[in-house]
Amino acid sequence: MTDVALKSLTKSFGLVDVIKGVDLDIKSGEFCVFVGPSGCGKSTLLRIIAGLESATAGEIIIDGRDVSGAEPSERGIAMVFQSYALYPHLSVRDNIGFGLSLAKLPKAEIRTRVEAAAAILQLGPLLDRKPKALSGGQRQRVAIGRAMVRDPKVFLLDEPLSNLDAALRAQMRIELTDLHRRLGATMIYVTHDQVEAMTMADKIVVLNSGRIEQVGTPMELYNHPATPFVAGFIGSPKMNLFEGATAKAEGCTTYGIRPEHITLSRTGGKWQGTARHVEHLGADTIVYLKVEGMGELLARTTEDFPVAHGETLFASPIAGREFRFA
């Protein structure tokens, strides 16, 4: 069980500042997710923690020790990458135990560690297979097993599910959160997918252009976004955000309302619009309304309220669920 602290961390490539003064405390045993759009600095920040990139300034404290100048192997971390990076000519058993073999651990200890990790990851029957005989999810579990056997203080995971199809990503999210609960380990996970962040994290760190926009639990960020950026990034479909005349009428600089907090009617409401696009998702229907003087407004409704393309509808915000940003 290990705490991680980042203090005034910066990273520059020449004149370009990529990480701009990050301060963050990650508690022992937390599943912490770095999330943000491409180019926000989340993977760079993870690589700095791992020691694969050096910080320009600041400190990295792992388990109470400043490891800012330490080699990756001296930091007590294990990293799982987007690419599985398995050796195709080695069995699952040998892939998982490869790092331990390099460290020249006794064969009996390697066997014990590999089989223990395989049991947790449900890879026991597959230990003698080669990677080509595995599914994508099984290969990713082998990569996680290779990290597990090192008994790290902190797991670092850099978009490990992005190469999987949608169904397998959903399954692996469950498996990873189950693994976290069983191990009780500190995990830092990078993704651009806010659904992964919302469904897996104890703590979410929203990054934007090298800075932390907000830190909190998934529901704290959903219910109390600190900035329009966080409001627009957390939640699916994304929040409706309006500036200009619409925001001015609400007494703010940016006005926000989530699609699920809008009611639709055919008899009257706050805004009148035309359904320019309708997405039928089974239990939910997403309606894209074109509202005069406002632009596009997304509303989420249910299958009990069928909507046709081109239909005129009225939309109203649910009281108390609006956001007004100064």
Side-chain angles (χ1 to χ4, degrees):
M1 301 288 278
T2 303
D3 294 333
V4 177
L6 310 180
K7 300 182 181 298
S8 303
L9 211 62
T10 66
K11 175 65 178 179
S12 301
F13 294 100
L15 298 177
V16 180
D17 297 327
V18 179
I19 303 297
K20 305 170 183 176
V22 166
D23 291 283
L24 179 66
D25 290 311
I26 300 170
K27 295 179 182 178
S28 180
E30 275 190 325
F31 197 124
C32 179
V33 176
F34 295 169
V35 70
S38 297
C40 71
K42 55 188 183 294
S43 289
T44 300
L45 189 57
L46 194 75
R47 290 173 64 84
I48 291 172
I49 297 170
L52 302 177
E53 296 275 0
S54 59
T56 302
E59 297 178 343
I60 304 157
I61 312 296
I62 297 178
D63 199 19
R65 183 170 69 96
D66 187 350
V67 299
S68 306
E71 294 295 320
S73 60
E74 299 170 342
R75 299 190 179 202
I77 57 94
M79 194 157 180
V80 179
F81 296 93
Q82 177 179 344
S83 169
Y84 316 131
L86 303 181
Y87 294 102
H89 62 290
L90 297 181
S91 66
V92 168
R93 183 188 305 276
D94 291 338
N95 265 288
I96 293 175
F98 186 77
L100 303 182
S101 298
L102 285 181
K104 301 189 183 303
L105 267 65
K107 290 184 178 181
E109 182 176 351
I110 294 174
R111 185 184 310 112
T112 299
R113 289 198 192 187
V114 168
E115 290 178 356
I120 291 172
L121 295 167
Q122 300 177 13
L123 292 171
L126 309 177
L127 283 173
D128 295 320
R129 290 191 187 181
K130 300 288 178 62
K132 67 180 180 181
L134 304 178
S135 69
Q138 289 167 341
R139 293 178 191 179
Q140 191 56 274
R141 276 186 274 157
V142 174
I144 293 168
R146 186 173 51 197
M148 282 177 58
V149 295
R150 297 179 55 192
D151 194 23
K153 294 178 179 178
V154 182
F155 284 86
L156 307 178
L157 303 100
D158 191 2
E159 305 216 38
L161 308 185
S162 59
N163 287 338
L164 306 179
D165 62 43
L168 196 48
R169 281 201 304 274
Q171 179 61 34
M172 285 300 297
R173 289 201 300 266
I174 296 171
E175 292 188 15
L176 277 174
T177 50
D178 278 348
L179 177 65
H180 174 252
R181 279 191 289 267
R182 288 199 297 270
L183 297 179
T186 305
M187 293 187 175
I188 305 175
Y189 186 103
V190 161
T191 182
H192 65 279
D193 185 342
Q194 61 93 24
V195 173
E196 284 186 15
M198 291 289 289
T199 55
M200 298 174 71
D202 298 319
K203 172 187 288 181
I204 297 177
V205 179
V206 182
L207 290 159
N208 180 24
S209 300
R211 291 188 173 90
I212 293 177
E213 285 273 333
Q214 191 173 353
V215 179
T217 67
M219 294 312 296
E220 283 172 348
L221 298 188
Y222 178 84
N223 289 317
H224 306 288
T227 66
F229 178 87
V230 175
F233 197 85
I234 297 296
S236 181
K238 67 180 183 179
M239 183 187 291
N240 296 287
L241 292 169
F242 301 99
E243 298 177 345
T246 301
K248 187 176 181 180
E250 300 293 332
C252 57
T253 301
T254 304
Y255 170 77
I257 182 72
R258 295 194 185 279
E260 54 268 36
H261 298 151
I262 293 174
T263 59
L264 295 178
S265 168
R266 293 183 172 88
T267 57
K270 184 170 184 176
W271 304 298
Q272 179 179 336
T274 303
R276 62 176 294 269
H277 181 64
V278 181
E279 295 178 345
H280 299 287
L281 305 177
D284 291 333
T285 298
I286 309 300
V287 182
Y288 294 71
L289 288 176
K290 184 178 181 180
V291 180
E292 187 71 30
M294 190 175 184
E296 188 170 81
L297 179 73
L298 270 67
R300 171 184 273 165
T301 185
T302 67
E303 60 182 334
D304 297 328
F305 191 89
V307 177
H309 176 269
E311 186 175 1
T312 297
L313 296 170
F314 294 89
S316 300
I318 295 175
R321 303 312 299 263
E322 300 162 279
F323 294 88
R324 295 174 177 85
F325 300 97

